[in-house]
């Protein structure tokens, strides 16, 4: 999946979430009533209006946990999406990676001010890229100026992705793809969402610990939290059961759905390979924002943000902050891979949380995912025009 498409999808989602040029001051989100009827409507709208085959959500709030679903997870069996279904969480993986980096900082094993060159000498060089000028902090908040390897013509776009669907990619080769191109800007002088930085961050974790990043993630996060349904597939193309099917479309073709459930995820590695469930992702963000995974100083580092102009809100270290039109402030990340679009957001105190996923990527440029977020955190009916939200902000 080309980063341009990912960037467009996330921009569309976050524009839906913010909508106004100047967001109102953050205030606690209104507590939705039992039943989450508007969130249910938003899931149904994703299926009926935006043609998402299946949509699934999990919410945790003062009323307890709630699951909602719409559509079908498998056209053969026609079963609905299930709370236990596994799916590829895409770039939500980045929050997991950033958590491990910050744990290592807390232990004094690395520093956010360390350069990439210190841990990966000679890896970031070529066409103006220079790892001596880029810090680990800049990798995690997208200010390093690195070219994104998923924009390289060899892998960018649905067509090239399908051509390399079963290929195995080493992290070093992924970084080498980025080094073919000039950087986007001098480190620290701009902001651009990308993937290369998180591949490098995970490589630095491996150098600092002497272990595969997946082993560190499992030891530090997955096992302590009991995330038994979360895994790092490596090169495994199949999903654990239960799981639905995932769908994409060839933009240059007739638009017929393509089943993209199975593929080798090594192209995305640490930047997007994680497989999980809505329950496990929810548990992770509850623990993270609740202070169970990071000391206070490191959680403060993670939630210290820089402007993300292209997204209309702020970027922390592997996490985003958005102020919604109703004034609610939420933290989390979005995920988009071929065949899957997901969101995970929570209030800063972690008392109100949402994880939602669609089993396709073709609604990524629409308001569908944003409607689910706004329905849950703001009580906004799906399809509410932007003009109506702006009017409500002025009242």
């Amino acid at each position: 999946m080309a980063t341009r498409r990912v960037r467009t999808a996330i921009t569309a989602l976050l524009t839906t979430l913010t909508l106004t040029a100047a967001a109102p001051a953050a205030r606690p989100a209104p507590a939705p009533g039992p039943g989450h009827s508007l969130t249910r409507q938003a899931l149904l709208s994703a299926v009926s209006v935006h043609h998402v085959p299946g949509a699934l959500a999990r919410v945790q709030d003062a009323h307890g946990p709630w699951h909602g679903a719409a559509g079908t997870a498998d056209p053969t069996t026609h079963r609905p999406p299930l709370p236990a279904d596994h799916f590829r969480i895409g770039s939500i993986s980045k929050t997991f990676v950033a958590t491990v980096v910050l744990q290592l900082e807390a232990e004094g094993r690395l520093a956010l001010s360390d350069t990439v060159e210190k841990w990966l000498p000679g890896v970031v060089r070529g066409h103006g890229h220079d790892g001596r000028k880029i810090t680990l902090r800049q990798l995690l908040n997208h200010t390093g100026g690195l070219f994104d390897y998923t924009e390289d013509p060899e892998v960018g776009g649905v067509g090239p992705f399908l051509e390399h669907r079963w290929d195995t990619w080493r992290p070093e080769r992924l970084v080498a793809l980025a080094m073919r191109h000039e950087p986007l800007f001098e480190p620290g002088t701009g902001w651009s969402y990308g993937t290369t930085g998180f591949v490098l961050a995970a490589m630095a974790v491996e150098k600092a610990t002497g272990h595969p990043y997946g082993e560190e993630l499992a030891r530090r996060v997955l096992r302590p939290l009991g995330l038994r349904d979360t895994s790092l597939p490596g090169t495994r193309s199949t999903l654990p059961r239960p799981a639905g099917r995932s769908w994409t479309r060839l933009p240059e073709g007739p638009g017929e759905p393509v089943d993209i459930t199975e593929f080798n995820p090594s192209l995305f590695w640490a930047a997007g390979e994680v497989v999980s469930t809505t329950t496990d992702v929810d548990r992770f963000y509850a623990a993270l924002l609740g202070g169970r995974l990071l000391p206070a100083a490191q959680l403060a580092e993670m939630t210290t943000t820089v402007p993300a102009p292209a997204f209309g809100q702020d970027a922390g270290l592997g996490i985003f902050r958005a102020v919604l039109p109703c004034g609610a402030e939420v933290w989390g990340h979005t995920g988009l891979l071929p065949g899957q679009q997901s969101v995970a957001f929570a209030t800063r105190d972690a008392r109100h949380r949402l994880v939602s996923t669609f089993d396709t990527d073709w609604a990524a440029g629409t308001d569908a995912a944003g409607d689910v977020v706004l329905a849950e955190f703001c009580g906004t009916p799906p399809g509410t025009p932007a003009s109506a939200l702006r009017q409500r902000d002025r009242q």
Side-chain angles (χ1 to χ4, degrees):
M1 182 71 63
T3 294
R4 185 178 300 109
R5 186 173 181 186
V6 174
R7 186 180 298 115
T8 299
I10 298 175
T11 302
L13 169 62
L14 297 174
T15 299
T16 302
L17 299 185
T18 53
L19 285 172
T20 54
R27 59 179 184 268
H36 305 273
S37 60
L38 290 174
T39 306
R40 191 187 306 273
Q41 287 180 33
L43 296 174
L44 291 169
S45 175
V47 173
S48 62
V49 176
H50 300 290
H51 311 295
V52 170
L56 178 67
R58 175 193 166 88
V59 172
Q60 180 76 43
D61 64 8
H63 303 287
W66 173 84
H67 280 95
T72 60
D74 189 327
T76 303
T77 64
H78 302 288
R79 75 161 176 85
L82 301 173
D85 278 348
H86 296 80
F87 61 95
R88 304 181 193 275
I89 69 173
S91 287
I92 296 172
S93 305
K94 292 178 170 67
T95 313
F96 286 76
V97 173
T99 299
V100 173
V101 173
L102 286 163
Q103 287 181 344
L104 290 170
E105 188 206 36
E107 296 165 10
R109 301 178 70 175
L110 53 74
L112 293 176
S113 59
D114 289 345
T115 64
V116 175
E117 182 75 9
K118 175 178 178 178
W119 293 104
L120 305 169
V123 172
V124 178
R125 295 291 176 87
H127 293 92
H129 286 290
D130 189 345
R132 296 169 296 184
K133 299 179 179 180
I134 303 171
T135 66
L136 298 185
R137 183 190 303 276
Q138 291 168 338
L139 297 181
L140 299 182
N141 67 11
H142 305 283
T143 60
L146 292 160
F147 183 86
D148 196 300
Y149 70 84
T150 63
E151 292 277 10
D152 185 272
E154 186 173 343
V155 296
V158 178
F161 173 78
L162 290 174
E163 181 181 347
H164 294 284
R165 180 175 183 171
W166 310 113
D167 292 1
T168 293
W169 298 80
R170 293 292 303 155
E172 295 80 6
R173 187 181 174 199
L174 300 177
V175 175
L177 288 177
M179 297 302 104
R180 295 177 179 178
H181 306 268
E182 294 181 358
L184 304 178
F185 47 79
E186 283 293 311
T189 66
W191 189 91
S192 182
Y193 182 81
T195 302
T196 307
F198 278 79
V199 170
L200 289 165
M203 291 171 68
V205 166
E206 296 191 338
K207 282 298 183 71
T209 64
H211 304 133
Y213 101 92
E215 288 185 9
E216 289 295 318
L217 179 56
R219 182 175 69 84
R220 295 168 173 274
V221 178
L222 305 189
R223 288 198 291 271
L225 295 183
L227 304 185
R228 297 178 180 84
D229 290 315
T230 301
S231 59
L232 285 73
T235 60
R236 188 180 68 243
S237 61
T238 57
L239 294 175
R241 293 186 178 183
R245 309 302 296 175
S246 298
W247 305 89
T248 191
R249 284 194 178 117
L250 286 172
E252 64 273 18
E256 291 298 317
V258 176
D259 188 327
I260 195 69
T261 309
E262 287 89 21
F263 60 83
N264 184 329
S266 60
L267 176 63
F268 305 105
W269 199 52
E273 73 167 316
V274 175
V275 172
S276 191
T277 63
T278 56
T279 297
D280 270 14
V281 173
D282 173 74
R283 188 177 300 165
F284 166 70
Y285 277 100
L288 176 64
L289 294 173
R292 293 172 52 200
L293 288 174
L294 294 175
Q298 277 65 43
L299 186 56
E301 292 275 13
M302 174 176 270
T303 54
T304 297
T305 61
V306 297
F311 285 6
Q313 27 92 77
D314 303 321
L317 305 183
I319 199 167
F320 286 95
R321 170 186 178 269
V323 178
L324 308 183
C326 64
E329 177 186 285
V330 294
W331 293 81
H333 214 291
T334 62
L336 182 69
L337 286 179
Q340 206 77 38
Q341 181 187 4
S342 307
V343 298
F345 284 105
T347 53
R348 180 60 185 82
D349 61 10
R351 293 180 181 176
H352 189 181
R353 307 184 300 273
L354 164 73
V355 181
S356 178
T357 188
F358 299 159
D359 59 5
T360 182
D361 53 55
W362 63 57
T366 74
D367 295 340
D371 280 349
V372 177
V373 176
L374 290 176
E376 181 54 41
F377 289 104
C378 290
T380 304
T384 300
S387 58
L389 289 170
R390 293 191 183 99
Q391 179 63 35
R392 186 169 68 180
D393 289 340
R394 290 193 290 267
Q395 293 176 347

